[in-house]
Amino acid sequence: MHSDDVVWSMLGNRQFCSYKMTTKTQNFCRNEYNLTGLCNRSSCPLANSQYATVREEKGRCYLYMKTIERAAFPRRLWERVLLSKNYEKALEEIDENLIYWPRFIRHKCKQRFTKITQYLIRIRKLTLKRQRKLVPLRRKIERRENRREEKALIAAQLDNAIEKELLERLKQDTYGDIYNFPIHAFDKALQQQEAESESESDAEREEEDEDDEDVDKREFVEAEDSELSDFEDMDKLETSSEEEQEEEEEVEKKASHSKWKGKTPLKGPARRKRPYIEIEYEEETEPSTKTKTA
Amino acid sequence: EGGPVPGDGAGPPAPERVLFPPTFSVSEIKNKQRRHFMFLRWKQQQRKEKLALKKKRRKEREALGDKAPPKAVPKTIENQRVYDETTVDPNDEEVAFDEATDEFAPYFNRQTVPKILITTSDRPRGRTVRFCEQLATVIPNSHVYYRRGLALKRIIPQCIARDFTDLIVINEDRKIPNGLVLSHLPDGPTAHFRMSSVRLRKEIKRKGKEPTEHVPEVILNNFTTRLGHSIGRMFAALFPHNPQFIGRQVATFHNQRDYIFFRFHRYIFKSEKKVGIQELGPRFTLKLRSLQKGTFDSKFGEYEWIHKRREMDRSRRKFHL
């Protein structure tokens, strides 16, 4: 007993104790046999020759006791008693073993034992739940993958790819009637019509030249027939060229006013493809057959 | 060595061999500074030679004019890709048959409407939560539920009971989302991805507004192999079958070198040859880690494909999707 005070006056206050950890507000004791964890006169296992703790090992709690009689034998210093798994029984066992011991140590042992059982219960509950598996990241691999991702992003040219795909879909008419652009199929149909009409017009031109010649000649030979034939030809020419001119007009207008979606018919200047025919035509409302080809 | 061996007069004359003077290479110089200097000089020389060669070739090309051979196509990684024997041929009957009978057949036959449940790992942080919300606006008919410690294995039967078709779990690490588990529910495949480069809506530089409620179109690019095909179908199965073109929104999954880039855009056709796109919505990159046959089961699941780093990352030209 006498030496306890000496030990404490040395370690506790003046000299160095390797288990002592100081913080701004408190002093802690890192000794594994310490009952409370604080650095106090009553809690220091070195400065008390009669001391007890509760520690757990692999889920079982043990009561460790130290008495003065064994102070000379460090190997046998701490006596260990296995506590029962039953909480109340274990408390009784602690009481039994520490029967004439100071109240402080008894109380603190029971407190510590309670806390330990509580955290053991918690561990058991948590292990039953899902465990989070921690997978370590490998720095080299992370770096490699990030770099490769950057390069893949550059190679992908996403905007271009998306735009191309959308235009493809527009071409293949997946959007149906929403967009009133002259779609390529319509363009093709138009070109076909133009080709036909050109070949027609060539033939007609020849005919007409012939007719003109014939007209000049026919005046002398057959006047009535020429008039009829002229008129028929003129009619055909009129209607076909009128259609073509309207279509061309639409195409041209739509090419130029690209943002306008063509919901209302535009009225614009008349364009003439073939100057040798002067035709006055009426602006019709867009016939429904024309815009919905293909 | 050169000349007939003395004493062997009857043998044929050995061919004359050229003896080179002993050269020295730059690496043999001990002095580091001098060695560096010599190396730089050698490098400059190489560069000069290369430049001269290029010029000569260009002159030849111009001299030939029209008859010049066509320019060589530069090698890219995509050009040099190791041919994967599981590349899907569009006319392959076997693949078509497989696809008609796999887990996505009901979706592609329009028998089911996709309904998606989006959730996270435990205790998501703000960024993940916001990402989940934005993802829910992008994918129509999707619901976000918070996971308060519920086990996935127990969620899944409940989801199936409530008619969900897909489950998305976003895994979070250090406050950023970094993994995605996509599971097709009535007993469908589960794909586990590593997610990176997540950009929320406010981080994307754009001037657009929020995505509307219209059903977006889907673009799937570059899913060539068999595995890529099934992953592509998985993504397609997230979106309803009938895109509303009025909304003019498109969700893109673009595969490049095994990285799947997701983007969400609004497009507008300025003319028949020009389209403008504006990015809205979150963006992220995925890399497939594993594909499992059934629903999510980490212990007993049957893995169809796992990314094995040692085997699969050896070649830079070999890709699996």
Side-chain angles (χ1 to χ4, degrees):
Chain A
M1 286 295 168
H2 185 64
S3 62
D4 288 345
D5 291 326
V6 173
V7 168
W8 178 249
S9 62
M10 286 294 145
L11 296 180
N13 298 326
R14 282 195 262 138
Q15 296 220 345
F16 178 75
C17 172
S18 65
Y19 296 110
K20 184 173 180 181
M21 283 209 317
T22 54
T23 46
K24 273 187 224 167
T25 46
Q26 249 189 354
N27 292 339
F28 292 102
C29 182
R30 270 188 331 161
N31 194 323
E32 46 188 10
Y33 289 101
N34 191 311
L35 193 51
T36 54
L38 310 171
C39 189
N40 287 331
R41 174 68 183 85
S42 45
S43 316
C44 189
L46 307 172
N48 289 307
S49 16
Q50 196 185 41
Y51 200 75
T53 345
V54 175
R55 278 171 70 195
E56 66 95 17
E57 204 171 314
K58 294 192 190 147
R60 298 304 306 271
C61 297
Y62 297 92
L63 175 66
Y64 286 80
M65 291 178 287
K66 163 176 131 161
T67 43
I68 324 166
E69 287 88 35
R70 297 196 301 269
F73 313 107
R75 227 171 127 249
R76 290 180 249 155
L77 186 59
W78 289 99
E79 181 191 340
R80 172 164 109 160
V81 172
L82 178 64
L83 298 172
S84 121
K85 274 193 187 173
N86 187 339
Y87 180 69
E88 282 92 18
K89 254 184 147 186
L91 286 181
E92 285 170 11
E93 280 175 14
I94 292 177
D95 263 334
E96 257 178 60
N97 279 308
L98 301 180
I99 188 163
Y100 294 117
W101 286 53
R103 219 182 5 220
F104 176 78
I105 293 185
R106 254 188 288 147
H107 183 61
K108 287 296 179 188
C109 275
K110 284 190 249 182
Q111 270 191 341
R112 196 180 164 93
F113 173 70
T114 312
K115 188 148 260 173
I116 289 177
T117 46
Q118 284 174 348
Y119 84 60
L120 285 176
I121 291 171
R122 201 149 162 254
I123 290 177
R124 275 181 238 133
K125 222 192 282 183
L126 284 178
T127 52
L128 284 179
K129 283 193 175 180
R130 295 147 317 117
Q131 300 273 32
R132 197 172 267 226
K133 183 174 176 192
L134 295 176
V135 175
L137 292 178
R138 303 238 168 87
R139 203 175 308 174
K140 179 177 173 185
I141 292 171
E142 289 297 305
R143 261 193 279 153
R144 198 210 293 167
E145 300 212 323
N146 288 340
R147 190 91 184 100
R148 285 198 183 161
E149 184 192 323
E150 283 169 19
K151 294 194 173 174
L153 183 62
I154 295 172
Q157 296 179 335
L158 283 170
D159 291 341
N160 290 351
I162 297 177
E163 290 174 5
K164 223 170 44 161
E165 178 68 30
L166 288 171
L167 287 170
E168 274 282 324
R169 290 190 182 182
L170 182 67
K171 232 202 279 187
Q172 276 158 15
D173 215 20
T174 41
Y175 299 128
D177 299 338
I178 306 179
Y179 301 106
N180 288 333
F181 298 128
I183 316 169
H184 292 263
F186 184 67
D187 273 341
K188 270 190 221 162
L190 185 62
Q191 282 170 15
Q192 272 182 11
Q193 257 198 356
E194 280 184 2
E196 284 171 26
S197 65
E198 276 184 8
S199 59
E200 266 185 36
S201 69
D202 284 341
E204 284 162 0
R205 249 181 256 164
E206 291 172 359
E207 279 184 19
E208 215 184 340
D209 289 341
E210 288 174 359
D211 283 343
D212 283 339
E213 290 172 354
D214 282 343
V215 161
D216 291 332
K217 286 181 196 168
R218 276 178 205 161
E219 271 187 346
F220 299 113
V221 182
E222 295 175 1
E224 296 171 356
D225 288 335
S226 70
E227 281 182 25
L228 275 175
S229 57
D230 280 346
F231 274 129
E232 281 172 348
D233 291 338
M234 290 289 281
D235 281 339
K236 275 189 227 160
L237 282 169
E238 201 176 15
T239 49
S240 60
S241 60
E242 190 184 310
E243 281 183 23
E244 281 163 32
Q245 287 207 14
E246 276 198 13
E247 287 173 350
E248 282 158 39
E249 189 196 308
E250 285 174 12
V251 167
E252 284 163 1
K253 276 176 203 157
K254 279 176 185 160
S256 57
H257 307 270
S258 50
K259 284 183 191 163
W260 165 79
K261 294 221 175 165
K263 288 183 186 154
T264 57
L266 258 190
K267 298 196 176 174
R271 300 251 189 122
R272 301 195 186 163
K273 198 180 180 186
R274 274 171 253 120
Y276 59 91
I277 293 179
E278 282 191 349
I279 296 172
E280 285 180 8
Y281 59 89
E282 307 143 16
E283 285 277 341
E284 300 174 352
T285 53
E286 284 179 337
S288 53
T289 50
K290 282 189 193 134
T291 50
K292 315 294 180 200
T293 53
Chain B
E1 283 160 343
V5 175
D8 188 11
E16 282 184 359
R17 286 205 213 131
V18 184
L19 293 172
F20 287 101
T23 52
F24 79 109
S25 71
V26 177
S27 55
E28 277 173 18
I29 305 175
K30 297 289 184 180
N31 185 341
K32 181 167 176 175
Q33 240 180 5
R34 200 159 163 72
R35 191 170 63 231
H36 185 58
F37 173 73
M38 297 300 280
F39 176 72
L40 286 179
R41 209 165 64 176
W42 177 80
K43 250 320 207 214
Q44 276 175 6
Q45 215 180 9
Q46 296 290 98
R47 241 179 277 152
K48 242 192 256 178
E49 286 175 17
K50 191 168 169 186
L51 199 61
L53 192 64
K54 260 198 202 164
K55 275 200 180 151
K56 199 175 80 169
R57 226 182 273 157
R58 200 196 298 166
K59 264 201 205 137
E60 282 176 13
R61 179 179 215 91
E62 282 171 13
L64 284 178
D66 276 336
K67 290 181 287 175
K71 264 194 181 175
V73 178
K75 296 189 206 172
T76 62
I77 293 186
E78 282 77 27
N79 285 349
Q80 306 293 98
R81 177 178 172 172
V82 166
Y83 175 71
D84 199 332
E85 59 269 355
T86 61
T87 309
V88 167
D89 185 27
N91 310 327
D92 201 348
E93 279 175 4
E94 194 188 318
V95 170
F97 176 72
D98 272 340
E99 291 183 356
T101 53
D102 75 350
E103 293 103 351
F104 296 106
Y107 165 76
F108 283 105
N109 293 338
R110 322 263 176 133
Q111 287 163 5
T112 54
V113 174
K115 190 173 173 199
I116 298 155
L117 178 69
I118 303 181
T119 182
T120 63
S121 54
D122 274 344
R123 310 195 139 241
R125 311 297 294 185
R127 212 183 141 84
T128 315
V129 167
R130 263 174 279 146
F131 176 66
C132 283
E133 290 169 18
Q134 292 184 4
L135 200 59
T137 58
V138 163
I139 304 179
N141 205 6
S142 59
H143 307 260
V144 181
Y145 284 105
Y146 288 119
R147 179 108 95 59
R148 287 124 135 277
L150 302 166
L152 272 183
K153 280 200 225 159
R154 260 175 249 150
I155 296 184
I156 287 178
Q158 285 186 21
C159 285
I160 299 179
R162 290 185 203 185
D163 260 349
F164 279 99
T165 56
D166 287 278
L167 173 69
I168 296 182
V169 183
I170 297 185
N171 188 49
E172 188 205 352
D173 176 51
R174 282 212 218 154
K175 305 182 197 171
I176 45 169
N178 74 342
L180 185 104
V181 175
L182 171 59
S183 180
H184 189 71
L185 272 186
D187 206 37
T190 309
H192 176 41
F193 298 93
R194 173 195 123 105
M195 183 153 59
S196 45
S197 307
V198 176
R199 300 278 176 268
L200 299 177
R201 218 165 265 151
K202 63 177 182 181
E203 293 161 9
I204 302 177
K205 295 182 187 142
R206 41 125 219 157
K207 297 160 260 174
K209 301 183 192 162
E210 308 279 308
T212 56
E213 290 290 318
H214 294 115
V215 172
E217 295 174 50
V218 180
I219 292 182
L220 298 165
N221 271 346
N222 274 355
F223 288 96
T224 48
T225 64
R226 194 80 183 73
L227 179 65
H229 227 65
S230 34
I231 299 284
R233 281 160 72 80
M234 269 190 102
F235 286 130
L238 289 177
F239 293 90
H241 238 288
N242 47 337
Q244 292 170 315
F245 298 122
I246 315 174
R248 286 186 286 128
Q249 291 174 145
V250 59
T252 312
F253 291 91
H254 181 105
N255 171 38
Q256 187 83 15
R257 303 184 194 174
D258 281 356
Y259 288 94
I260 302 171
F261 298 101
F262 171 80
R263 299 287 185 271
F264 192 71
H265 290 279
R266 176 163 280 138
Y267 62 89
I268 175 166
F269 282 106
K270 294 183 193 157
S271 73
E272 75 271 20
K273 303 234 172 162
K274 249 174 60 155
V275 60
I277 53 175
Q278 186 189 55
E279 183 162 6
L280 356 147
R283 70 153 83 149
F284 52 89
T285 327
L286 298 173
K287 184 163 201 272
L288 181 67
R289 264 206 269 207
S290 68
L291 180 65
Q292 214 179 27
K293 205 75 219 240
T295 53
F296 182 76
D297 194 338
S298 45
K299 279 195 239 170
F300 305 111
E302 176 196 332
Y303 280 93
E304 227 177 85
W305 187 86
I306 309 184
H307 177 76
K308 294 191 189 134
R309 194 172 33 91
R310 296 250 161 138
E311 297 172 11
M312 298 178 183
D313 269 0
R314 279 216 204 125
S315 162
R316 287 183 203 222
R317 313 272 179 264
K318 186 166 165 61
F319 306 113
H320 309 281
L321 277 189

